[in-house]
Amino acid sequence: MKETASLLNPKANLFEKIRIHQPKWWKLLCEDKELYIEIRKDNSINVYFFGGSIARIEYKNGFVAKIHQKYLGDYKPRGKTKKGNDKFEYDKIDLSKLNELKIAEIKNCIKTDYIRHINVEKPSEKWIQGKIIKENPRYIDSEFQFNKDNVIGKLRIDLIELSDGVLTFIELKGIFDNRLRNKAQSSSIPEIIEQMKKYRQFINTYQIDIIDYYKKLIEIKQSLGLTIIENNNFTINKTPKLIIANTYKKIDSRREKRISDIEELLKTYNIDYDII
């Protein structure tokens, strides 16, 4: 994590060039009320529409952006993976030609690919995540990934909140998610409990480096006008939080029992949680 924190650089070329030149495409992305922009630890930027990446932007002798081929309307596989699955790739997009119409087309492709059915009881978790981020400026990061500790293992944390001077890592689950009760592989403990235990271990092992990393990230977001947070002095919450999105449109005794069982489990293992 120390290595990860040291790689993030507020003065990296990409951030400096955006600040200096203020490209039209950047203003267009920032002003779109349905998009949100995240800073990545390799000094790149991801622009999201409800979890679907509109563009991954880097600076390599100029601004370079890539997007999944499906989000450009190309659903034809480009070969097979080693496991025999269909292979899809990322294509470059010309940021200088990006306009509102093109962004709308990309949004429609993302909706078609994986955030459809948002009006039913079981929407995509990514749609829920995007809705939460857009509705509350306290969330300063999403999809934080860390794979460099063999004991803790790989993790990807959904949301990072900074509220009242406290940084909190948050796992998001939909009410239908079987991992809220199913046991983890080779374990008698439900998967969600194992997951929250892993997050707690990560936070407590790397808290100093995490604070260093997020101070830099907030500095970058401040300089690019991506956050309303003015002060990057904060402490870290050593206990991760679970948010469960209750999307039930109708309630019956079976569903009431499911909610009750989940809450009883979380209380037994002292998990900090909210059902929203």
Side-chain angles (χ1 to χ4, degrees):
M1 186 63 206
K2 187 179 290 294
E3 178 187 346
T4 298
S6 67
L7 288 174
L8 188 64
N9 180 11
K11 298 192 180 300
N13 269 339
L14 175 61
F15 313 133
E16 292 277 77
K17 297 297 184 182
I18 289 176
R19 284 191 288 264
I20 292 169
H21 298 292
Q22 290 294 305
K24 289 183 180 179
W25 55 263
W26 177 250
K27 293 181 180 179
L28 186 66
L29 295 171
C30 290
E31 291 171 0
D32 190 308
K33 301 300 183 185
E34 292 185 313
L35 303 181
Y36 55 97
I37 298 172
E38 303 291 22
I39 306 301
R40 294 306 177 211
K41 51 183 170 283
D42 60 353
N43 298 307
S44 65
I45 287 173
N46 266 115
V47 185
Y48 290 101
F49 173 68
F50 294 102
S53 180
I54 291 280
R56 175 179 171 82
I57 306 170
E58 300 174 289
Y59 192 86
K60 297 178 179 178
N61 297 317
F63 296 109
V64 178
K66 291 184 178 181
I67 186 172
H68 197 287
Q69 67 176 81
K70 286 185 178 180
Y71 301 163
L72 293 175
D74 182 2
Y75 300 99
K76 185 178 180 180
R78 299 179 184 175
K80 295 287 185 180
T81 65
K82 291 181 179 179
K83 293 183 179 181
N85 298 322
D86 288 339
K87 183 179 180 181
F88 297 93
E89 297 178 351
Y90 287 81
D91 291 333
K92 287 185 178 180
I93 54 173
D94 187 344
L95 290 171
S96 67
K97 296 180 180 179
L98 198 64
N99 55 36
E100 292 179 352
L101 179 60
K102 187 63 179 178
I103 292 174
E105 290 174 356
I106 293 172
K107 287 178 181 178
N108 284 332
C109 289
I110 291 174
K111 289 177 182 177
T112 300
D113 188 52
Y114 79 85
I115 63 167
R116 53 193 179 278
H117 311 313
I118 61 175
N119 293 318
V120 298
E121 278 196 319
K122 197 176 179 181
S124 162
E125 185 182 294
K126 294 297 184 186
W127 179 83
I128 299 171
Q129 181 189 51
K131 192 171 188 295
I132 288 174
I133 291 169
K134 290 304 299 178
E135 289 179 353
N136 199 322
R138 296 195 313 260
Y139 294 102
I140 61 167
D141 194 18
S142 61
E143 300 292 331
F144 176 87
Q145 189 170 348
F146 186 70
N147 302 328
K148 295 188 176 183
D149 189 304
N150 292 331
V151 175
I152 296 174
K154 296 181 180 181
L155 53 81
R156 184 193 292 266
I157 302 176
D158 292 319
L159 296 164
I160 294 84
E161 177 189 50
L162 181 56
S163 180
D164 297 325
V166 179
L167 188 80
T168 302
F169 285 91
I170 297 172
E171 175 64 15
L172 174 66
K173 289 281 189 284
I175 190 66
F176 288 91
D177 199 315
N178 290 328
R179 291 170 292 183
L180 289 170
R181 293 199 299 176
N182 288 359
K183 290 182 173 57
Q185 290 184 353
S186 306
S187 174
S188 60
I189 300 175
E191 189 169 346
I192 186 59
I193 305 303
E194 290 279 17
Q195 193 172 12
M196 299 305 288
K197 179 182 176 182
K198 182 192 294 188
Y199 291 176
R200 183 191 292 264
Q201 187 178 0
F202 165 72
I203 295 165
N204 283 270
T205 301
Y206 296 108
Q207 55 183 304
I208 295 174
D209 301 318
I210 291 170
I211 289 174
D212 182 34
Y213 176 83
Y214 274 102
K215 281 187 175 182
K216 291 180 181 179
L217 185 142
I218 292 167
E219 180 184 344
I220 294 167
K221 282 202 161 186
Q222 287 171 337
S223 72
L224 296 176
L226 298 177
T227 180
I228 61 172
I229 295 170
E230 296 179 353
N231 192 336
N232 66 351
N233 290 321
F234 56 87
T235 58
I236 191 166
N237 185 352
K238 296 181 181 180
T239 301
K241 184 174 184 177
L242 173 66
I243 290 180
I244 299 173
N246 181 358
T247 54
Y248 286 147
K249 290 184 179 293
K250 295 180 180 180
I251 198 72
D252 55 29
S253 59
R254 180 178 59 84
R255 290 182 169 183
E256 285 179 344
K257 186 176 187 311
R258 175 178 172 79
I259 294 172
S260 175
D261 288 347
I262 289 170
E263 290 201 86
E264 183 178 348
L265 171 71
L266 298 175
K267 289 174 182 176
T268 299
Y269 285 93
N270 295 314
I271 302 298
D272 182 15
Y273 75 95
D274 274 339
I275 298 179
I276 62 172

